[in-house]
């Protein structure tokens, strides 16, 4: 059974930092590009970051470029999102995903490949 479990969210003041984790199971983690997206209240889900199989290539949404860093540990089947210089507009539920390889190759973005949805982890940034 494919599972994705996000954690690490919380309440933080603007300018602060958080590190999110996503523990994966039920599939061969190292065979998948992994990504993060987020959904703010009343808004559509949006792409945040994506990382390739080895962790050697990463891409980000313009809104988080330079502030967020995605990484992965294939030995632990875990992908991380380090978020620095947080802004109130970063407030959202954050989700990880296993991404379609072809879509990643062409678009350098994540399109969910596996029908697995974690519960998400809520990040709230106060001003």
């Amino acid at each position: 059974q494919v599972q994705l479990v996000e954690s690490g969210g919380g309440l933080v003041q603007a300018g602060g930092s958080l590190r999110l984790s996503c523990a994966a199971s039920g599939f061969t983690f190292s065979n998948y590009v992994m990504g993060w997206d987020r959904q703010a209240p009343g808004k559509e889900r949006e792409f945040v970051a994506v990382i390739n199989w080895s962790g050697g290539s990463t891409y980000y949404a313009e809104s988080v470029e330079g502030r967020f860093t995605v990484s992965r540990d294939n030995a632990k089947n875990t992908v991380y999102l380090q978020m620095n210089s947080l802004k109130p507009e970063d407030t959202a539920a954050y989700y990880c995903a296993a991404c379609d390889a072809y879509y990643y190759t062409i678009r350098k973005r994540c399109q969910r490949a596996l029908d697995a949805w974690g519960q998400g982890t809520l990040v709230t940034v106060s001003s």
Side-chain angles (χ1 to χ4, degrees):
Q1 180 182 1
V2 175
Q3 282 193 317
L4 298 168
V5 180
E6 301 94 344
S7 62
L11 174 63
V12 63
Q13 288 188 332
S17 299
L18 284 174
R19 188 194 195 204
L20 307 184
S21 299
C22 170
S25 61
F27 62 99
T28 305
F29 182 76
S30 59
N31 285 356
Y32 281 86
V33 173
M34 296 297 295
W36 287 92
D37 54 24
R38 66 187 181 185
Q39 187 166 21
K43 295 188 177 181
E44 292 188 353
R45 189 167 292 201
E46 63 174 356
F47 165 77
V48 174
V50 65
I51 185 168
N52 77 341
W53 305 263
S54 67
S57 291
T58 57
Y59 298 92
Y60 299 91
E62 187 175 333
S63 59
V64 307
E65 181 84 52
R67 300 188 297 120
F68 289 12
T69 302
V70 60
S71 62
R72 66 189 294 163
D73 185 336
N74 287 344
K76 295 183 178 180
N77 289 356
T78 301
V79 60
Y80 305 97
L81 186 67
Q82 177 67 44
M83 306 186 297
N84 299 328
S85 302
L86 283 161
K87 303 176 181 180
E89 51 264 43
D90 294 318
T91 294
Y94 285 72
Y95 302 87
C96 66
C99 310
D100 179 83
Y102 179 75
Y103 190 90
Y104 165 77
T105 301
I106 301 300
R107 298 290 185 91
K108 303 299 187 280
R109 292 292 185 267
C110 179
Q111 182 176 71
R112 194 171 289 266
L114 298 178
D115 187 19
W117 296 84
Q119 80 289 351
T121 187
L122 183 62
V123 172
T124 304
V125 185
S126 62
S127 57

